[in-house]
Amino acid sequence: MSHFSQIRTQIRDLDALERALSDLGIDAVRGQEQARGYLQQVQPVALKISQSNGYDVGFQWNGSAYTLVADMQYWQQPWSVETFLNKVTQRYAFQAIVNRSAEQGFQIVEQKQTNDGSVRLVLQRWGA
């Protein structure tokens, strides 16, 4: 019986996810990895976060988005699962916006964290 839980996300860009985790100070290994769980069970993941207790957290492609995969009994992140996903999703959205904007010729003029935790971005693009 698998102890792995899978939580759906709207994350589709692995590069932006990797940068989001880095922004949060979370080390992740990218590639064809195996997330370890209870009784040495493993799940294939595209991005793996090792934990000091020997169990891993990972992100697995499900065909349309990346799913968070972990044995929740051994969750050992600095935040609860819900808070972790909220923080990762916020930084992912930021990274995705910055990346897409840069592809379209925009530059960040101003970046400010507001009191409610949201991020305010001002972008500009000079025309030719």
Side-chain angles (χ1 to χ4, degrees):
M1 178 178 184
S2 176
H3 283 251
F4 280 98
S5 296
Q6 297 183 346
I7 301 173
R8 287 184 282 173
T9 73
Q10 295 299 314
I11 296 172
R12 292 179 177 83
D13 181 338
L14 192 58
D15 292 331
L17 173 58
E18 191 172 30
R19 286 190 304 273
L21 291 169
S22 179
D23 287 352
L24 294 169
I26 299 169
D27 292 328
V29 177
R30 183 175 175 171
Q32 294 180 339
E33 297 292 326
Q34 297 285 321
R36 297 166 296 183
Y38 180 70
L39 293 177
Q40 305 304 315
Q41 293 176 345
V42 295
Q43 284 283 315
V45 294
L47 200 72
K48 179 175 81 172
I49 303 164
S50 296
Q51 301 183 121
S52 63
N53 63 4
Y55 299 93
D56 304 315
V57 175
F59 286 89
Q60 180 181 67
W61 182 250
N62 69 11
S64 61
Y66 287 93
T67 302
L68 175 71
V69 177
D71 188 330
M72 297 305 173
Q73 183 176 350
Y74 300 103
W75 182 262
Q76 193 180 50
Q77 293 300 305
W79 309 289
S80 69
V81 176
E82 182 179 357
T83 301
F84 174 85
L85 279 173
N86 287 340
K87 288 181 176 289
V88 169
T89 301
Q90 181 189 37
R91 291 310 301 173
Y92 168 79
F94 172 85
Q95 289 293 343
I97 289 167
V98 168
N99 186 44
R100 297 281 189 284
S101 300
E103 288 172 0
Q104 296 175 15
F106 287 90
Q107 294 178 333
I108 296 174
V109 175
E110 182 182 341
Q111 173 183 332
K112 182 179 178 185
Q113 182 103 15
T114 63
N115 291 337
D116 68 359
S118 61
V119 177
R120 180 177 182 271
L121 282 176
V122 177
L123 304 168
Q124 77 177 7
R125 176 171 66 177
W126 294 98

